[in-house]
Amino acid sequence: PRSENPISIIKQIKKIDSKIQILVIDNASTDNSYTIASKFGVKVIKESKKGKGYAVKKGFSNLSTDCQVVVLVDGDDTYDLSKLKQAIVLVDEHGYDMVVGTRVTKVNNLDPRSKVFRAGHKTGNYVFSKLSQILHPSGVIDSLSGFRVFSRNFVESFSGGASEFEIEAELNAHASFIKANVENIEVAYRGRPAGSVSKLRTYRDGYKILKINFKIFINE
């Protein structure tokens, strides 16, 4: 996270299973995330290069040796984690390489949050998902979803991550390239907490995602 601290996500994960090892990547935050997260007994690592891809790559390279299932979730408290245990079981016991959360809009008028999708994001997500299914047919339905669970083998075979918001496109393409066993589950998705601002720039980052999809396709 860069404009919101991860307390809510940490508490939710600990409530689901206290044995889950939590690793927080502080990606040049401005809200004291490193100090706040450290007080909750989780491992916190700093990544000075701004960009989600760099943060994910840093996390993947700092997994404990006994970790066999890897959960990746955004720190902005927009994903409902009630199906996290189910997703972990799919990887750990049923042999899936990657489980992706297909976002289903959840709106609560009593909750002072921002709109679930900013103008242009819903259309952009639909277009990129369709494009990804054509260029990198991995079976992923929601190509830009930030809710993912991986096998350790998938993570260790992934060499990408030197990017910003293109990381999901890289993961989808990698799943297609290695013919990974992919499953999708629906997860509720809600607006960002009041005062939290998305770092995603609709047109600039959208262009980068479009560009890397075609670049990977051409390279492969």
Side-chain angles (χ1 to χ4, degrees), residues 46-169:
K46 290 187 177 182
E47 172 50 69
S48 59
K49 295 178 183 177
K50 292 183 179 181
K52 184 176 179 180
Y54 294 108
V56 171
K57 187 173 184 178
K58 176 73 77 170
F60 282 176
S61 65
N62 281 275
L63 297 173
S64 61
T65 55
D66 63 337
C67 175
Q68 295 303 310
V69 179
V70 182
V71 174
L72 172 64
V73 64
D74 294 343
D76 55 11
D77 193 23
T78 53
Y79 291 86
D80 178 9
L81 301 183
S82 61
K83 291 188 178 180
L84 179 58
K85 202 68 178 286
Q86 176 188 340
I88 292 174
V89 169
L90 285 170
V91 172
D92 191 37
E93 299 181 13
H94 296 272
Y96 286 97
D97 298 301
M98 179 170 70
V99 176
V100 183
T102 303
R103 289 170 289 181
V104 178
T105 302
K106 180 180 181 181
V107 179
N108 182 355
N109 294 327
L110 299 178
D111 192 354
R113 290 173 176 260
S114 62
K115 291 183 178 179
V116 177
F117 286 106
R118 291 192 348 232
H121 283 197
K122 189 172 183 179
T123 301
N125 187 64
Y126 175 81
V127 171
F128 286 128
S129 292
K130 291 298 181 183
L131 180 66
S132 178
Q133 290 165 18
I134 295 171
L135 298 181
H136 318 295
S138 61
V140 175
I141 296 174
D142 186 353
S143 69
L144 300 183
S145 174
F147 179 108
R148 297 179 185 239
V149 180
F150 311 95
S151 67
R152 182 62 181 256
N153 287 338
F154 183 97
V155 169
E156 291 187 346
S157 67
F158 179 69
S159 59
S163 62
E164 296 182 3
F165 284 100
E166 304 97 310
I167 182 64
E168 281 86 6

